Amino acid sequence: MLPVLQLGPLALQLPGLLILLGIWMGLSLAEKFAIKRHFPVESLYNLVFSALTVGLVGARLGSLLQAPQAFWASPLSLFSLNPALLDPISGVAAGLAASLWYGKRNHLPGWATLDALTPLLAMGMLGLALAHIASGQAYGAVTSLPWSIELWGARRHPSQFYELAAATLILLSLGRRSQQADAAAGSLFAIFVALTAGLRLFLEAFRGDSTLLPGGIRSAQVLAWLALAAALVLLHKLESSARPPEARLKGN
Amino acid sequence: MKFMQPEKKFVFYGMILLAGLLWIGASAIPSSASTTQEISAPQTGFLAPDFSLTTLDNQPVRLSELRGKVILLNLWASWCPPCKAEMPALERTYQAYKDQGLVVLAVNSTIQDTRSAAQTFMEANQLTFPVPLDTQGEVTRLYRVQSLPTTFFIGPDGMIREVVIGGPMSEALLRSRVENLLKEVR
């Protein structure tokens, strides 16, 4: 666990740095993929830049809407550099809205765009897993298994390392899948969502910080199951529509 | 899965979803199971590690005796620029909420500072909140402080609700977190 990297007088927040590194590496992977699929690289960069910028502004505004009286007492805080004053849900919502707006305005093909963004998303997940290792967040449940690690006062599942292994596995699977030139548009994205949701559903069981629903059900697993179901339905639809008409008529 | 026929694939997807549902049920936490609440650790969701120190005014302070109040535990040193920069905001927040149940403990990491430097800084900036002195580095070690300032927001139940590493923290950040926690006291 290394939440802060001290370089002389400079204290760098390592988790944030690792997420940024994941985004940067993800963007260069996405660029390579886009070139291979003849997707306009400039549009991809503009889309991501718009999403990140609007997402950042949205995250701060979300924070303002949640505690207006706190900002009223100190209006200059709106421009503070504190990452803790960024609301992640508002940020993601604003980023998605900006992406949709940019994509519509520039007539980008929806499924092909999502496919082009998939390497970035997969690399981002890897960055997030590394950030969790650095910060010690997303910690595991208490266990006596031989590979348990000492963290936060107990022997625990090394859930952050499980997360890293899952993210690596997803990235490798997608790398293999992306070689298939005849894959239906959108299928790479659907596979990414299915794998991410499926592995989250499985690995959440080893987490020690799950938010619980009545009956002790882990809320993240329910959300992951819904995402998995949506991704599998989408995958089935995409694969069925990609089959040649004669094959569809024969049913094979 | 390219080899699989669409109908078989559909059944396969259905089986995955069914297995997922079973796994959710199997990994549910029984209500009788213990949670992390009994373990103390310097992380969000855990009980704040207890400590006992003496303040600049020679008053004893024990964290566990402040249970029921909202505690803002800030670790700082007088040579640390971001620590000094956030102190005025900390003072304003303290003045605004101290009557509602907020306790600010600005623990000076005296093991890497001096008592006189801390005293001079507090007086020069007219800061009024209590400053426990961590002369032996006990709290710095107990809270695994790797960078100054580090701030822990502790709820009335003694649980750490948020950890902010680094600074300076803005006043809105301090006020928003404190106001949220004070709702539990009211």
Side-chain angles (χ1 to χ4, degrees):
Chain A
M1 208 190 83
L2 188 66
V4 177
L5 191 64
Q6 197 76 40
L7 294 177
L10 206 62
L12 297 173
Q13 306 268 345
L14 197 55
L17 210 62
L18 287 165
I19 291 174
L20 285 178
L21 190 70
I23 292 174
W24 176 66
M25 288 178 72
L27 259 178
S28 58
L29 258 185
E31 182 187 335
K32 281 180 189 162
F33 178 79
I35 292 168
K36 211 185 279 181
R37 290 276 177 111
H38 308 292
F39 188 88
V41 173
E42 199 179 325
S43 298
L44 181 76
Y45 271 101
N46 287 340
L47 175 79
V48 173
F49 181 74
S50 312
L52 288 178
T53 312
V54 176
L56 207 60
V57 174
R60 180 54 54 92
L61 289 177
S63 202
L64 164 72
L65 289 174
Q66 282 173 17
Q69 65 285 8
F71 282 92
W72 181 253
S74 165
L76 283 178
S77 296
L78 202 57
F79 307 103
S80 91
L81 295 174
N82 297 147
L85 271 185
L86 296 170
D87 177 50
I89 296 172
S90 310
V92 169
L96 280 176
S99 311
L100 278 173
W101 177 80
Y102 182 88
K104 282 220 161 198
R105 194 164 176 241
N106 292 281
H107 310 290
L108 294 179
W111 293 126
T113 306
L114 286 173
D115 278 346
L117 287 171
T118 299
L120 167 65
L121 298 173
M123 205 65 203
M125 297 301 284
L126 198 76
L128 187 66
L130 289 170
H132 284 156
I133 291 173
S135 67
Q137 288 176 334
Y139 52 86
V142 176
T143 182
S144 56
L145 287 167
W147 59 86
S148 60
I149 55 167
E150 180 68 37
L151 185 66
W152 308 130
R155 303 285 310 171
R156 299 180 178 279
H157 277 285
S159 55
Q160 300 94 339
F161 289 93
Y162 297 163
E163 193 184 340
L164 180 66
T168 310
L169 193 74
I170 292 169
L171 199 63
L172 292 174
S173 309
L174 292 174
R176 226 179 126 194
R177 177 82 185 189
S178 68
Q179 304 297 323
Q180 295 175 9
D182 61 335
S187 64
L188 193 73
F189 175 73
I191 289 171
F192 164 73
V193 176
L195 286 174
T196 305
L199 285 166
R200 180 67 196 269
L201 197 159
F202 177 64
L203 294 177
E204 184 69 20
F206 307 108
R207 287 271 289 262
D209 61 343
S210 302
T211 305
L212 301 181
L213 297 172
I217 301 284
R218 297 164 199 259
S219 59
Q221 283 186 318
V222 175
L223 290 174
W225 188 89
L226 292 171
L228 176 65
L232 290 179
V233 168
L234 174 64
L235 201 55
H236 185 70
K237 278 194 169 186
L238 289 171
E239 284 170 346
S240 302
S241 60
R243 281 189 298 149
E246 60 274 20
R248 264 180 271 165
L249 282 171
K250 285 176 191 170
N252 53 24
Chain B
M1 286 186 290
K2 208 178 175 186
F3 55 88
M4 211 184 268
Q5 291 199 346
E7 291 72 22
K8 283 187 181 170
K9 206 180 265 188
F10 189 73
V11 174
F12 176 65
Y13 289 165
M15 285 170 69
I16 290 176
L17 290 175
L18 184 65
L21 282 178
L22 292 172
W23 182 245
I24 291 173
S27 54
I29 298 175
S31 54
S32 58
S34 65
T35 62
T36 53
Q37 290 183 5
E38 296 105 41
I39 302 171
S40 70
Q43 170 66 293
T44 305
F46 290 87
L47 197 62
D50 193 21
F51 60 83
S52 182
L53 294 175
T54 306
T55 66
L56 266 176
D57 309 330
N58 294 315
Q59 299 296 314
V61 177
R62 190 176 189 90
L63 186 70
S64 56
E65 287 173 1
L66 297 170
R67 194 67 65 85
K69 292 179 185 266
V70 170
I71 299 161
L72 202 160
L73 177 67
N74 175 263
L75 281 108
W76 69 286
S78 64
W79 47 260
C80 149
C83 303
K84 292 196 278 188
E86 69 187 15
M87 285 300 185
L90 211 58
E91 174 67 23
R92 285 193 293 272
T93 308
Y94 174 62
Q95 291 299 336
Y97 299 104
K98 64 177 181 180
D99 295 335
Q100 296 175 45
L102 170 69
V103 174
V104 171
L105 291 179
V107 175
N108 177 260
S109 189
T110 322
I111 193 161
Q112 40 188 331
D113 201 357
T114 62
R115 183 191 177 112
S116 60
Q119 178 98 48
T120 307
F121 176 76
M122 292 298 289
E123 286 169 3
N125 293 279
Q126 297 172 319
L127 303 172
T128 58
F129 42 74
V131 177
L133 300 171
D134 190 21
T135 50
Q136 303 301 312
E138 177 201 348
V139 177
T140 308
R141 272 192 300 275
L142 202 60
Y143 280 77
R144 296 191 193 174
V145 175
Q146 295 183 15
S147 177
L148 292 174
T150 296
T151 305
F152 298 84
F153 292 90
I154 303 168
D157 53 359
M159 304 287 284
I160 296 176
R161 303 301 175 84
E162 190 170 346
V163 183
V164 177
I165 301 173
M169 288 184 295
S170 65
E171 193 175 332
L173 171 61
L174 291 164
R175 283 176 174 264
S176 62
R177 300 311 193 259
V178 167
E179 276 176 19
N180 269 344
L181 289 174
L182 282 173
K183 282 177 195 160
E184 296 174 29
V185 179
R186 286 168 198 150

PDB file of all heavy atoms in Angstrom, chain B residues 6-32:
ATOM      1  N   PRO B   6     -26.304 -20.521 -32.465  1.00  0.00           N
ATOM      2  CA  PRO B   6     -26.994 -19.437 -31.755  1.00  0.00           C
ATOM      3  C   PRO B   6     -27.968 -19.933 -30.687  1.00  0.00           C
ATOM      4  O   PRO B   6     -28.039 -19.352 -29.603  1.00  0.00           O
ATOM      5  CB  PRO B   6     -27.729 -18.709 -32.872  1.00  0.00           C
ATOM      6  CG  PRO B   6     -26.981 -19.028 -34.103  1.00  0.00           C
ATOM      7  CD  PRO B   6     -26.392 -20.383 -33.906  1.00  0.00           C
ATOM      8  N   GLU B   7     -28.712 -20.998 -30.983  1.00  0.00           N
ATOM      9  CA  GLU B   7     -29.711 -21.492 -30.018  1.00  0.00           C
ATOM     10  C   GLU B   7     -29.006 -22.021 -28.762  1.00  0.00           C
ATOM     11  O   GLU B   7     -29.447 -21.778 -27.640  1.00  0.00           O
ATOM     12  CB  GLU B   7     -30.580 -22.610 -30.635  1.00  0.00           C
ATOM     13  CG  GLU B   7     -31.513 -22.133 -31.737  1.00  0.00           C
ATOM     14  CD  GLU B   7     -30.788 -21.778 -33.039  1.00  0.00           C
ATOM     15  OE1 GLU B   7     -29.664 -22.279 -33.250  1.00  0.00           O
ATOM     16  OE2 GLU B   7     -31.339 -20.975 -33.810  1.00  0.00           O
ATOM     17  N   LYS B   8     -27.903 -22.736 -29.008  1.00  0.00           N
ATOM     18  CA  LYS B   8     -27.141 -23.276 -27.868  1.00  0.00           C
ATOM     19  C   LYS B   8     -26.517 -22.131 -27.078  1.00  0.00           C
ATOM     20  O   LYS B   8     -26.424 -22.182 -25.856  1.00  0.00           O
ATOM     21  CB  LYS B   8     -26.054 -24.230 -28.369  1.00  0.00           C
ATOM     22  CG  LYS B   8     -26.602 -25.580 -28.764  1.00  0.00           C
ATOM     23  CD  LYS B   8     -25.477 -26.523 -29.093  1.00  0.00           C
ATOM     24  CE  LYS B   8     -26.042 -27.874 -29.518  1.00  0.00           C
ATOM     25  NZ  LYS B   8     -25.016 -28.751 -30.063  1.00  0.00           N
ATOM     26  N   LYS B   9     -26.080 -21.112 -27.808  1.00  0.00           N
ATOM     27  CA  LYS B   9     -25.461 -19.964 -27.160  1.00  0.00           C
ATOM     28  C   LYS B   9     -26.478 -19.242 -26.260  1.00  0.00           C
ATOM     29  O   LYS B   9     -26.169 -18.808 -25.158  1.00  0.00           O
ATOM     30  CB  LYS B   9     -24.928 -19.005 -28.222  1.00  0.00           C
ATOM     31  CG  LYS B   9     -23.782 -18.146 -27.736  1.00  0.00           C
ATOM     32  CD  LYS B   9     -23.294 -17.241 -28.799  1.00  0.00           C
ATOM     33  CE  LYS B   9     -22.120 -17.804 -29.544  1.00  0.00           C
ATOM     34  NZ  LYS B   9     -21.527 -16.829 -30.462  1.00  0.00           N
ATOM     35  N   PHE B  10     -27.722 -19.169 -26.750  1.00  0.00           N
ATOM     36  CA  PHE B  10     -28.787 -18.512 -25.987  1.00  0.00           C
ATOM     37  C   PHE B  10     -29.005 -19.234 -24.653  1.00  0.00           C
ATOM     38  O   PHE B  10     -29.125 -18.615 -23.599  1.00  0.00           O
ATOM     39  CB  PHE B  10     -30.078 -18.508 -26.828  1.00  0.00           C
ATOM     40  CG  PHE B  10     -31.170 -17.680 -26.239  1.00  0.00           C
ATOM     41  CD1 PHE B  10     -31.101 -16.290 -26.265  1.00  0.00           C
ATOM     42  CD2 PHE B  10     -32.271 -18.269 -25.644  1.00  0.00           C
ATOM     43  CE1 PHE B  10     -32.095 -15.511 -25.715  1.00  0.00           C
ATOM     44  CE2 PHE B  10     -33.276 -17.501 -25.076  1.00  0.00           C
ATOM     45  CZ  PHE B  10     -33.185 -16.116 -25.125  1.00  0.00           C
ATOM     46  N   VAL B  11     -29.014 -20.591 -24.745  1.00  0.00           N
ATOM     47  CA  VAL B  11     -29.177 -21.411 -23.529  1.00  0.00           C
ATOM     48  C   VAL B  11     -27.969 -21.207 -22.603  1.00  0.00           C
ATOM     49  O   VAL B  11     -28.113 -21.083 -21.385  1.00  0.00           O
ATOM     50  CB  VAL B  11     -29.332 -22.909 -23.907  1.00  0.00           C
ATOM     51  CG1 VAL B  11     -29.351 -23.787 -22.663  1.00  0.00           C
ATOM     52  CG2 VAL B  11     -30.595 -23.106 -24.725  1.00  0.00           C
ATOM     53  N   PHE B  12     -26.784 -21.150 -23.218  1.00  0.00           N
ATOM     54  CA  PHE B  12     -25.551 -20.940 -22.446  1.00  0.00           C
ATOM     55  C   PHE B  12     -25.598 -19.610 -21.687  1.00  0.00           C
ATOM     56  O   PHE B  12     -25.268 -19.546 -20.498  1.00  0.00           O
ATOM     57  CB  PHE B  12     -24.356 -20.980 -23.420  1.00  0.00           C
ATOM     58  CG  PHE B  12     -23.024 -20.695 -22.787  1.00  0.00           C
ATOM     59  CD1 PHE B  12     -22.487 -21.562 -21.839  1.00  0.00           C
ATOM     60  CD2 PHE B  12     -22.296 -19.564 -23.126  1.00  0.00           C
ATOM     61  CE1 PHE B  12     -21.255 -21.299 -21.251  1.00  0.00           C
ATOM     62  CE2 PHE B  12     -21.071 -19.292 -22.544  1.00  0.00           C
ATOM     63  CZ  PHE B  12     -20.547 -20.164 -21.607  1.00  0.00           C
ATOM     64  N   TYR B  13     -26.049 -18.545 -22.363  1.00  0.00           N
ATOM     65  CA  TYR B  13     -26.165 -17.237 -21.713  1.00  0.00           C
ATOM     66  C   TYR B  13     -27.156 -17.311 -20.541  1.00  0.00           C
ATOM     67  O   TYR B  13     -26.936 -16.738 -19.478  1.00  0.00           O
ATOM     68  CB  TYR B  13     -26.639 -16.171 -22.702  1.00  0.00           C
ATOM     69  CG  TYR B  13     -25.614 -15.773 -23.752  1.00  0.00           C
ATOM     70  CD1 TYR B  13     -25.993 -15.068 -24.890  1.00  0.00           C
ATOM     71  CD2 TYR B  13     -24.269 -16.079 -23.602  1.00  0.00           C
ATOM     72  CE1 TYR B  13     -25.067 -14.689 -25.851  1.00  0.00           C
ATOM     73  CE2 TYR B  13     -23.337 -15.714 -24.563  1.00  0.00           C
ATOM     74  CZ  TYR B  13     -23.739 -15.024 -25.685  1.00  0.00           C
ATOM     75  OH  TYR B  13     -22.826 -14.659 -26.628  1.00  0.00           O
ATOM     76  N   GLY B  14     -28.258 -18.026 -20.773  1.00  0.00           N
ATOM     77  CA  GLY B  14     -29.267 -18.179 -19.719  1.00  0.00           C
ATOM     78  C   GLY B  14     -28.687 -18.890 -18.509  1.00  0.00           C
ATOM     79  O   GLY B  14     -28.966 -18.523 -17.358  1.00  0.00           O
ATOM     80  N   MET B  15     -27.856 -19.900 -18.778  1.00  0.00           N
ATOM     81  CA  MET B  15     -27.236 -20.649 -17.666  1.00  0.00           C
ATOM     82  C   MET B  15     -26.255 -19.775 -16.893  1.00  0.00           C
ATOM     83  O   MET B  15     -26.145 -19.870 -15.664  1.00  0.00           O
ATOM     84  CB  MET B  15     -26.546 -21.911 -18.196  1.00  0.00           C
ATOM     85  CG  MET B  15     -27.553 -22.997 -18.564  1.00  0.00           C
ATOM     86  SD  MET B  15     -26.808 -24.354 -19.443  1.00  0.00           S
ATOM     87  CE  MET B  15     -25.828 -25.092 -18.174  1.00  0.00           C
ATOM     88  N   ILE B  16     -25.545 -18.910 -17.614  1.00  0.00           N
ATOM     89  CA  ILE B  16     -24.614 -17.979 -16.942  1.00  0.00           C
ATOM     90  C   ILE B  16     -25.396 -17.076 -15.987  1.00  0.00           C
ATOM     91  O   ILE B  16     -25.009 -16.875 -14.826  1.00  0.00           O
ATOM     92  CB  ILE B  16     -23.844 -17.110 -17.977  1.00  0.00           C
ATOM     93  CG1 ILE B  16     -22.843 -17.964 -18.753  1.00  0.00           C
ATOM     94  CG2 ILE B  16     -23.111 -15.953 -17.285  1.00  0.00           C
ATOM     95  CD1 ILE B  16     -22.111 -17.210 -19.856  1.00  0.00           C
ATOM     96  N   LEU B  17     -26.527 -16.570 -16.481  1.00  0.00           N
ATOM     97  CA  LEU B  17     -27.327 -15.658 -15.644  1.00  0.00           C
ATOM     98  C   LEU B  17     -27.918 -16.380 -14.430  1.00  0.00           C
ATOM     99  O   LEU B  17     -27.963 -15.828 -13.333  1.00  0.00           O
ATOM    100  CB  LEU B  17     -28.434 -15.015 -16.485  1.00  0.00           C
ATOM    101  CG  LEU B  17     -27.929 -14.009 -17.522  1.00  0.00           C
ATOM    102  CD1 LEU B  17     -29.064 -13.504 -18.399  1.00  0.00           C
ATOM    103  CD2 LEU B  17     -27.230 -12.831 -16.852  1.00  0.00           C
ATOM    104  N   LEU B  18     -28.328 -17.623 -14.652  1.00  0.00           N
ATOM    105  CA  LEU B  18     -28.869 -18.417 -13.543  1.00  0.00           C
ATOM    106  C   LEU B  18     -27.774 -18.677 -12.494  1.00  0.00           C
ATOM    107  O   LEU B  18     -27.996 -18.535 -11.287  1.00  0.00           O
ATOM    108  CB  LEU B  18     -29.441 -19.736 -14.077  1.00  0.00           C
ATOM    109  CG  LEU B  18     -30.127 -20.629 -13.041  1.00  0.00           C
ATOM    110  CD1 LEU B  18     -31.372 -19.945 -12.500  1.00  0.00           C
ATOM    111  CD2 LEU B  18     -30.498 -21.981 -13.649  1.00  0.00           C
ATOM    112  N   ALA B  19     -26.580 -19.041 -13.000  1.00  0.00           N
ATOM    113  CA  ALA B  19     -25.451 -19.277 -12.083  1.00  0.00           C
ATOM    114  C   ALA B  19     -25.131 -18.002 -11.305  1.00  0.00           C
ATOM    115  O   ALA B  19     -24.811 -18.053 -10.110  1.00  0.00           O
ATOM    116  CB  ALA B  19     -24.228 -19.738 -12.869  1.00  0.00           C
ATOM    117  N   GLY B  20     -25.244 -16.848 -11.987  1.00  0.00           N
ATOM    118  CA  GLY B  20     -25.002 -15.557 -11.341  1.00  0.00           C
ATOM    119  C   GLY B  20     -25.970 -15.324 -10.190  1.00  0.00           C
ATOM    120  O   GLY B  20     -25.567 -14.892  -9.103  1.00  0.00           O
ATOM    121  N   LEU B  21     -27.241 -15.628 -10.424  1.00  0.00           N
ATOM    122  CA  LEU B  21     -28.256 -15.451  -9.377  1.00  0.00           C
ATOM    123  C   LEU B  21     -27.963 -16.345  -8.176  1.00  0.00           C
ATOM    124  O   LEU B  21     -28.067 -15.920  -7.017  1.00  0.00           O
ATOM    125  CB  LEU B  21     -29.648 -15.770  -9.931  1.00  0.00           C
ATOM    126  CG  LEU B  21     -30.311 -14.685 -10.787  1.00  0.00           C
ATOM    127  CD1 LEU B  21     -31.659 -15.180 -11.294  1.00  0.00           C
ATOM    128  CD2 LEU B  21     -30.492 -13.396  -9.999  1.00  0.00           C
ATOM    129  N   LEU B  22     -27.584 -17.595  -8.478  1.00  0.00           N
ATOM    130  CA  LEU B  22     -27.254 -18.536  -7.393  1.00  0.00           C
ATOM    131  C   LEU B  22     -26.052 -18.042  -6.592  1.00  0.00           C
ATOM    132  O   LEU B  22     -26.011 -18.138  -5.364  1.00  0.00           O
ATOM    133  CB  LEU B  22     -26.985 -19.934  -7.962  1.00  0.00           C
ATOM    134  CG  LEU B  22     -28.198 -20.647  -8.567  1.00  0.00           C
ATOM    135  CD1 LEU B  22     -27.780 -21.938  -9.272  1.00  0.00           C
ATOM    136  CD2 LEU B  22     -29.239 -20.959  -7.494  1.00  0.00           C
ATOM    137  N   TRP B  23     -25.066 -17.495  -7.319  1.00  0.00           N
ATOM    138  CA  TRP B  23     -23.853 -16.985  -6.655  1.00  0.00           C
ATOM    139  C   TRP B  23     -24.176 -15.790  -5.747  1.00  0.00           C
ATOM    140  O   TRP B  23     -23.633 -15.663  -4.643  1.00  0.00           O
ATOM    141  CB  TRP B  23     -22.813 -16.612  -7.713  1.00  0.00           C
ATOM    142  CG  TRP B  23     -21.514 -16.128  -7.146  1.00  0.00           C
ATOM    143  CD1 TRP B  23     -20.974 -14.888  -7.266  1.00  0.00           C
ATOM    144  CD2 TRP B  23     -20.568 -16.875  -6.355  1.00  0.00           C
ATOM    145  NE1 TRP B  23     -19.776 -14.798  -6.619  1.00  0.00           N
ATOM    146  CE2 TRP B  23     -19.501 -16.015  -6.045  1.00  0.00           C
ATOM    147  CE3 TRP B  23     -20.534 -18.194  -5.880  1.00  0.00           C
ATOM    148  CZ2 TRP B  23     -18.400 -16.418  -5.293  1.00  0.00           C
ATOM    149  CZ3 TRP B  23     -19.430 -18.587  -5.115  1.00  0.00           C
ATOM    150  CH2 TRP B  23     -18.389 -17.713  -4.834  1.00  0.00           C
ATOM    151  N   ILE B  24     -25.095 -14.925  -6.220  1.00  0.00           N
ATOM    152  CA  ILE B  24     -25.499 -13.770  -5.391  1.00  0.00           C
ATOM    153  C   ILE B  24     -26.111 -14.279  -4.077  1.00  0.00           C
ATOM    154  O   ILE B  24     -25.794 -13.789  -2.995  1.00  0.00           O
ATOM    155  CB  ILE B  24     -26.516 -12.876  -6.152  1.00  0.00           C
ATOM    156  CG1 ILE B  24     -25.822 -12.170  -7.317  1.00  0.00           C
ATOM    157  CG2 ILE B  24     -27.146 -11.841  -5.216  1.00  0.00           C
ATOM    158  CD1 ILE B  24     -26.756 -11.391  -8.225  1.00  0.00           C
ATOM    159  N   GLY B  25     -26.971 -15.297  -4.199  1.00  0.00           N
ATOM    160  CA  GLY B  25     -27.611 -15.862  -3.008  1.00  0.00           C
ATOM    161  C   GLY B  25     -26.599 -16.528  -2.095  1.00  0.00           C
ATOM    162  O   GLY B  25     -26.620 -16.350  -0.873  1.00  0.00           O
ATOM    163  N   ALA B  26     -25.666 -17.283  -2.706  1.00  0.00           N
ATOM    164  CA  ALA B  26     -24.675 -18.016  -1.909  1.00  0.00           C
ATOM    165  C   ALA B  26     -23.701 -17.091  -1.197  1.00  0.00           C
ATOM    166  O   ALA B  26     -23.208 -17.411  -0.111  1.00  0.00           O
ATOM    167  CB  ALA B  26     -23.910 -18.978  -2.812  1.00  0.00           C
ATOM    168  N   SER B  27     -23.414 -15.940  -1.810  1.00  0.00           N
ATOM    169  CA  SER B  27     -22.409 -15.056  -1.200  1.00  0.00           C
ATOM    170  C   SER B  27     -23.034 -13.942  -0.363  1.00  0.00           C
ATOM    171  O   SER B  27     -22.336 -13.012   0.057  1.00  0.00           O
ATOM    172  CB  SER B  27     -21.495 -14.467  -2.273  1.00  0.00           C
ATOM    173  OG  SER B  27     -22.250 -13.829  -3.274  1.00  0.00           O
ATOM    174  N   ALA B  28     -24.349 -14.032  -0.121  1.00  0.00           N
ATOM    175  CA  ALA B  28     -24.996 -13.036   0.751  1.00  0.00           C
ATOM    176  C   ALA B  28     -24.428 -13.165   2.161  1.00  0.00           C
ATOM    177  O   ALA B  28     -24.070 -14.266   2.602  1.00  0.00           O
ATOM    178  CB  ALA B  28     -26.498 -13.248   0.766  1.00  0.00           C
ATOM    179  N   ILE B  29     -24.331 -12.044   2.832  1.00  0.00           N
ATOM    180  CA  ILE B  29     -23.753 -12.056   4.187  1.00  0.00           C
ATOM    181  C   ILE B  29     -24.868 -12.275   5.209  1.00  0.00           C
ATOM    182  O   ILE B  29     -25.819 -11.490   5.262  1.00  0.00           O
ATOM    183  CB  ILE B  29     -23.020 -10.728   4.477  1.00  0.00           C
ATOM    184  CG1 ILE B  29     -21.867 -10.567   3.483  1.00  0.00           C
ATOM    185  CG2 ILE B  29     -22.512 -10.680   5.908  1.00  0.00           C
ATOM    186  CD1 ILE B  29     -21.146  -9.248   3.575  1.00  0.00           C
ATOM    187  N   PRO B  30     -24.791 -13.330   6.022  1.00  0.00           N
ATOM    188  CA  PRO B  30     -25.833 -13.543   7.028  1.00  0.00           C
ATOM    189  C   PRO B  30     -25.858 -12.402   8.039  1.00  0.00           C
ATOM    190  O   PRO B  30     -24.810 -11.829   8.351  1.00  0.00           O
ATOM    191  CB  PRO B  30     -25.436 -14.861   7.704  1.00  0.00           C
ATOM    192  CG  PRO B  30     -24.124 -15.247   7.153  1.00  0.00           C
ATOM    193  CD  PRO B  30     -23.733 -14.332   6.060  1.00  0.00           C
ATOM    194  N   SER B  31     -27.061 -12.093   8.531  1.00  0.00           N
ATOM    195  CA  SER B  31     -27.179 -10.944   9.436  1.00  0.00           C
ATOM    196  C   SER B  31     -26.391 -11.155  10.731  1.00  0.00           C
ATOM    197  O   SER B  31     -26.008 -10.199  11.406  1.00  0.00           O
ATOM    198  CB  SER B  31     -28.647 -10.676   9.757  1.00  0.00           C
ATOM    199  OG  SER B  31     -29.227 -11.862  10.254  1.00  0.00           O
ATOM    200  N   SER B  32     -26.129 -12.433  11.058  1.00  0.00           N
ATOM    201  CA  SER B  32     -25.389 -12.713  12.301  1.00  0.00           C
ATOM    202  C   SER B  32     -23.877 -12.541  12.136  1.00  0.00           C
ATOM    203  O   SER B  32     -23.141 -12.498  13.113  1.00  0.00           O
ATOM    204  CB  SER B  32     -25.676 -14.150  12.740  1.00  0.00           C
ATOM    205  OG  SER B  32     -25.293 -15.035  11.702  1.00  0.00           O
TER     206      SER B  32
END
